[in-house]
Amino acid sequence: MADRTVDGGPWTGCAVMFLQSLCPRVDLLSLFKEQGKFIVFKVIKLTLTDSAGGLGGYEILKVHDADPFLGVEVKFVDEAACQYFLESYSSGAVRQSLSQHACRLLALSQELTVETQLKASTHILDLYLDKLELCLKHIHLSQPERLRDEEIDLLEQQLESEALGPAPQAVTITQEESAVPSNCFKFQNRVYEDRMLTAADVQSFSNRVGRQWKHVGRALGKSCGALKGPAIDNLAYEYEREGLYEQAYQLLSRFIEAEGRAAKLSRLVKALEDCKLTSLAENILDIQP
């Protein structure tokens, strides 16, 4: 990648993040090259989603061998997302997020320590992290010279299929069937198959809930210890600068992280009902008006 001046058009930029596990039992590069390609890609994708403030604003172009590092080439298409990422990287939040997702998805018994390096063209941005505007400029001047790898396209499709899961199907119940099956829930006198919350659910909720996210959080907190007490107000304070979308996104992320497989669609729909946000529940369930 060569530095160049970018005139006109939408804001874009490119950076390469290099990752290396310092845990002797976990080699991210070997895992990606061999049997764990999808899991490692998922760890990277979730980390970037956390660190860039959502699912938009960037795309992964290539994951490559930079022995002993694993190189991740990222194209940013939104200046705000790039700045958010740089702030997360500078604060250590990127390494923390990467470690948490790797521990969960790779079923590690101890915390994963990761070494990182960030480059834009020939510039090592780790040397300028106290000058975020300069880092932003270097990334903007470093434009990608390739399209996204076909391998990354396939991994993205696989991740999207996993995230969306099967669409919840309405189940017809006869009058004699008074009990709702254990793997289903009832909404507006119809029965739907229950499932774990997906990335698509989180995005749909975060885009539409607005200022009501706190009320939904307190409704979820009735059965989720991680959202009890001052947790909601702490989230509001911590992510006030990032806006309502990020506050809502972090709320559901905290719920999913705390509840694991118990973070079900039925619990979110019930919380939305309690807060009289039935139109948002209908949207998440893809109910046509």
Side-chain angles (χ1 to χ4, degrees):
M1 284 180 293
D3 284 1
R4 66 191 71 177
T5 302
V6 183
D7 296 319
W11 193 98
T12 61
C14 196
V16 181
M17 182 167 59
F18 296 93
L19 310 173
Q20 182 184 17
S21 165
L22 299 181
C23 177
R25 295 183 295 105
V26 180
D27 186 334
L28 294 176
L29 177 58
S30 295
L31 270 175
F32 188 81
K33 288 165 66 176
E34 296 166 8
Q35 76 279 10
K37 191 180 295 285
F38 175 69
I39 293 297
V40 174
F41 178 78
K42 186 175 180 180
V43 168
I44 294 168
K45 183 74 174 182
L46 290 173
T47 299
L48 284 170
T49 300
D50 291 344
S51 309
L55 293 166
Y58 73 92
E59 64 171 318
I60 299 172
L61 296 181
K62 183 180 180 65
V63 179
H64 63 272
D65 182 348
D67 194 17
F69 290 91
L70 183 67
V72 183
E73 186 174 340
V74 183
K75 176 185 176 182
F76 290 96
V77 294
D78 180 81
E79 185 176 5
C82 186
Q83 182 170 339
Y84 192 101
F85 170 78
L86 282 170
E87 290 170 352
S88 299
Y89 186 88
S90 175
S91 69
V94 169
R95 285 191 297 274
Q96 182 181 4
S97 179
L98 185 74
S99 175
Q100 289 174 347
H101 290 304
C103 285
R104 179 170 58 86
L105 294 173
L106 298 174
L108 303 179
S109 57
Q110 62 184 52
E111 185 177 349
L112 179 70
T113 306
V114 182
E115 180 183 351
T116 62
Q117 186 181 84
L118 189 64
K119 294 183 72 174
S121 187
T122 59
H123 301 282
I124 300 174
L125 301 185
D126 302 74
L127 303 176
Y128 316 112
L129 291 178
D130 57 336
K131 301 173 182 176
L132 291 184
E133 286 297 325
L134 180 60
C135 293
L136 201 63
K137 178 182 176 182
H138 284 318
I139 291 175
H140 180 41
L141 291 175
S142 178
Q143 293 293 304
E145 295 183 344
R146 60 169 65 89
L147 298 174
R148 187 162 71 178
D149 269 14
E150 289 183 7
E151 179 182 58
I152 301 299
D153 277 330
L154 294 173
L155 289 168
E156 288 278 11
Q157 290 169 17
Q158 187 178 348
L159 187 60
E160 185 177 343
S161 298
E162 181 189 83
L164 291 175
Q169 300 295 319
V171 180
T172 304
I173 291 189
T174 63
Q175 290 183 350
E176 291 79 11
E177 293 175 305
S178 57
V180 177
S182 60
N183 64 334
C184 298
F185 66 95
K186 200 170 185 179
F187 175 70
Q188 293 183 338
N189 293 321
R190 298 178 71 188
V191 175
Y192 293 86
E193 292 181 8
D194 206 358
R195 56 167 170 77
M196 290 178 62
L197 289 172
T198 66
D201 298 328
V202 175
Q203 188 173 19
S204 182
F205 172 81
S206 305
N207 276 326
R208 294 172 175 82
V209 70
R211 297 184 181 280
Q212 300 298 314
W213 74 268
K214 280 188 177 183
H215 299 296
V216 179
R218 293 192 175 97
L220 289 171
K222 293 175 183 178
S223 60
C224 175
L227 300 180
K228 290 185 184 297
I232 304 298
D233 291 331
N234 289 343
L235 278 174
Y237 176 77
E238 187 176 353
Y239 295 98
E240 181 179 11
R241 254 182 64 188
E242 284 74 24
L244 296 173
Y245 173 92
E246 185 62 22
Q247 290 170 330
Y249 178 90
Q250 292 296 333
L251 168 74
L252 274 199
S253 297
R254 189 75 54 89
F255 175 67
I256 292 169
E257 183 180 346
E259 297 296 304
R261 293 185 177 277
K264 293 293 186 74
L265 178 64
S266 56
R267 294 175 69 181
L268 176 59
V269 170
K270 176 66 167 61
L272 292 171
E273 274 193 291
D274 290 346
C275 298
K276 306 200 183 310
L277 297 172
T278 52
S279 61
L280 178 50
E282 290 171 353
N283 183 275
I284 291 173
L285 290 171
D286 198 25
I287 298 174
Q288 300 301 320

